[in-house]
Amino acid sequence: MQTFRDLPSLDTGLSALRADVSGSGTRIAMVPTMGALHAGHMALVEEARRHADHVVVSIFVNPTQFGPNEDLAAYPRREAADAAMLEAAGVAILWAPTVDVMYPAGFASSIHVARVSEGLDGAIRPGHFDGVATVVAKLFGQVRPDVACFGEKDYQQLAVIRRLVADLDLRVEIVGVPTKRDTDGLALSSRNAYLDDGQRVMAVALPEMLVMTGEALRSGLDVPTALQEATGHLLGSGFDSVDYVVLCDAQSLTPLTALDRPARLLAAARIGATRLIDNIAVNP
Ligand code: PAJ
């Protein structure tokens, strides 16, 4: 695996990869990340390998997607351990640009994906998805992958990126990968490390609530009652506050008041200072 931190060396490395397979059909898959890799990220790498000849993983802790009161400075950085995991998984290139390479002096552009980025996390974290859409568009421009993998764990992010790619004709196939969970059901996340032992036990109420609420909705409970009970379950299980529990159209993420089409149940809640998000499919 080769690690690159500036665009000229990335270009040289990509040219070598593209020349590597005889003929003109070399496919490159990309997995964008912010590092601190865990088995959830590695599931994306495995999926990426199934779609291409070579996998490029990026690690870039993107400052523009963190709000002023969020954890940018505290965000875990473990590049040596990450690189060892990626090397063992057969990744060809680790793209780890510096902030100056990504946002040189004079940088002035921002991409806003209207509607799908504006509710849920977009409402609670203003500017977050503009930062994500802009950096992902840049990463695609830098690496020019044929396919890119994103986790369903960040379901709204996946929906924003699908919209971005369709709207801007970015010619990248987007593959959504199911959420990788711990044995008790909690979705793997680098933020789980912020939970103490007691909080970690309580956190399982989030995926439990999603499964229970999904079943209640499928068996005919009306949506407002189901969502109200879901919030009560989280607060009763030790969560300190609930940002949202919402049933949405699976593509547009428009909130639904009835389960009358393929839907997604999404939730965000806090234990102490730690904010956890999760979601599941709910089909009528
Ligand atoms: P990060 O939080 O590092 O996540 C990188 C990718 O891993 C995302 O596509 C995310 O959905 C996926 N992922 C995280 N936990 C997962 C799990 N338990 N199961 C499956 N996939 C999981 O998301 C970002 O970084 C950034 O916003 C980024 C897209 C890189 C732009 O900066």
Side-chain angles (χ1 to χ4, degrees), residues 87-252:
E87 172 116 58
V91 169
I93 290 180
L94 169 55
W95 171 227
T98 61
V99 174
D100 291 344
V101 164
M102 200 56 110
Y103 300 115
F107 186 88
S109 300
S110 177
I111 299 176
H112 179 71
V113 182
R115 296 192 295 280
V116 66
S117 80
E118 288 167 357
L120 306 166
D121 270 20
I124 285 154
R125 307 177 67 187
H128 170 69
F129 286 117
D130 294 3
V132 169
T134 306
V135 83
V136 169
K138 282 179 65 72
L139 289 165
F140 287 173
Q142 292 160 346
V143 174
R144 285 160 283 124
D146 300 282
V147 45
C149 297
F150 292 86
E152 290 183 348
K153 158 78 170 39
D154 301 285
Y155 193 82
Q156 189 177 12
Q157 170 171 279
L158 174 60
V160 168
I161 286 161
R162 287 192 192 283
R163 188 76 251 165
L164 167 80
V165 164
D167 288 355
L168 301 188
D169 306 310
L170 294 184
R171 311 297 181 98
V172 186
E173 181 193 341
I174 301 300
V175 173
V177 180
T179 302
K180 193 99 181 163
R181 298 177 180 280
D182 220 330
T183 45
D184 66 353
L186 184 67
L188 297 182
S189 164
S190 50
R191 294 200 166 100
N192 295 352
Y194 301 149
L195 301 170
D196 66 30
D197 290 351
Q199 292 174 326
R200 174 63 189 80
V201 171
M202 290 188 300
V204 74
L206 180 57
E208 278 174 3
M209 174 282 285
L210 291 174
V211 171
M212 276 169 32
T213 307
E215 280 165 9
L217 286 165
R218 269 192 298 272
S219 45
L221 186 62
D222 68 282
V223 172
T225 307
L227 299 181
Q228 205 176 358
E229 287 178 3
T231 300
H233 180 79
L234 290 177
L235 295 174
S237 307
F239 276 82
D240 294 297
S241 63
V242 176
D243 285 350
Y244 58 80
V245 183
V246 195
L247 186 74
C248 293
D249 177 280
Q251 260 80 54
S252 68

